[in-house]
Amino acid sequence: LQAQQCDTVFKAGCVGPGPINCPAFPNAGCVNGTCQGMGLTTGPVDAGTLTCNERQIDIQNALSPIIASIGLDCAVDDDCSLTSLVACASNCGVLASKSGLAAASAALASVTTSQCDPFTAAGCTPLALPCPSPGVPRCIDQTCKR
């Protein structure tokens, strides 16, 4: 969550769940000592101990290192894209090159199996975020940029 959304809960001693690659979630709140976007997902609490909200945070945490490592090398504009990476994640798209996505495909498949499949099986759905216009990805100086 972006800090401005969680300032009041940070002051109350909460910590953030980790980077989430999208605009601030509405209705930030403190849940079990962690700043979280209230209503990140819809769906019931599953038969285990994780809520849909907690599962969404786990998905974002699993994706964060993958997002950080995705390559942006390009030769032409068509080498660049804005992608959601996995269907179960609430995000506004991640800038990546074709080769970067190819290199990350095994890690993304692992997130789908380990995180998305249980998320969906628990009846959870990702929140549709109010994303700004993403712009057109372009290859500038051999790097994908928005």
Side-chain angles (χ1 to χ4, degrees):
L1 297 174
Q2 294 182 356
Q4 70 267 22
Q5 291 293 313
C6 291
D7 282 346
T8 56
V9 290
F10 286 147
K11 289 176 185 169
C14 291
V15 296
I20 296 177
N21 187 29
C22 54
F25 288 101
N27 306 320
C30 186
V31 178
N32 297 326
T34 301
C35 181
Q36 298 180 14
M38 308 307 287
L40 278 179
T41 59
T42 58
V45 173
D46 68 359
T49 58
L50 295 178
T51 65
C52 291
N53 188 50
E54 291 166 331
R55 288 176 180 277
Q56 184 70 63
I57 290 168
D58 287 347
I59 292 164
Q60 298 297 352
N61 288 337
L63 287 175
S64 290
I66 298 169
I67 291 168
S69 68
I70 286 182
L72 298 174
D73 295 341
C74 60
V76 295
D77 289 347
D78 283 345
D79 290 341
C80 304
S81 67
L82 196 60
T83 180
S84 64
L85 300 181
V86 294
C88 65
S90 292
N91 66 51
C92 292
V94 175
L95 184 64
S97 67
K98 286 181 183 176
S99 62
L101 283 176
S105 65
L108 294 171
S110 176
V111 170
T112 296
T113 301
S114 67
Q115 303 285 335
C116 293
D117 291 351
F119 178 81
T120 304
C124 303
T125 57
L127 179 69
L129 301 175
C131 298
S133 176
V136 177
R138 302 243 185 246
C139 183
I140 300 171
D141 297 327
Q142 299 178 337
T143 302
C144 293
K145 298 180 181 179
R146 288 191 204 198

